[in-house]
């Protein structure tokens, strides 16, 4: 859900979940990202996903804040 950070509005679709990301060169990005993620996997590096709830009404501030705190907790406990 777009929340005013772009000219998009409502439900939007973007490549790699980021309208500011690698949409201009998806084939090049896929090849580079594939190399990184294969290396992450073979070395056992943790790969996760952050859910900020940024698009949920009333969570625009506290969602990213809670996600940041969870990330810091994860890093501290590694």
């Amino acid at each position: 859900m777009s929340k005013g950070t772009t000219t998009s509005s409502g439900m939007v679709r973007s490549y790699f979940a980021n309208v500011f990301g690698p949409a201009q060169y998806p084939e090049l990005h896929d090849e580079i990202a594939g190399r990184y993620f294969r290396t992450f996997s073979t070395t056992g590096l943790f790969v996760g996903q952050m859910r900020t709830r940024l698009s949920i009404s009333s969570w625009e501030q506290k969602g990213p804040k809670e996600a940041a705190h969870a990330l810091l907790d994860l890093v501290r406990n590694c």
Side-chain angles (χ1 to χ4, degrees):
M1 177 69 81
S2 179
K3 289 297 282 190
T5 58
T6 70
T7 56
S8 304
S9 64
M11 284 298 254
V12 295
R13 182 183 151 130
S14 64
Y15 176 77
F16 208 70
N18 183 353
V19 297
F20 302 112
Q24 297 84 358
Y25 303 99
E27 295 82 14
L28 178 60
H29 171 264
D30 286 347
E31 190 261 314
I32 294 169
R35 275 190 276 146
Y36 274 88
F37 281 102
R38 282 189 296 278
T39 300
F40 297 162
S41 179
T42 59
T43 60
L45 182 68
F46 175 77
V47 175
Q49 184 179 91
M50 291 185 70
R51 299 208 181 252
T52 63
R53 296 173 280 185
L54 184 60
S55 68
I56 300 173
S57 183
S58 82
W59 282 88
E60 296 91 347
Q61 300 294 315
K62 63 183 172 183
K65 184 176 180 177
E66 285 187 12
H69 282 269
L71 178 60
L72 289 172
D73 289 342
L74 178 69
V75 170
R76 286 184 187 123
N77 295 319
C78 285

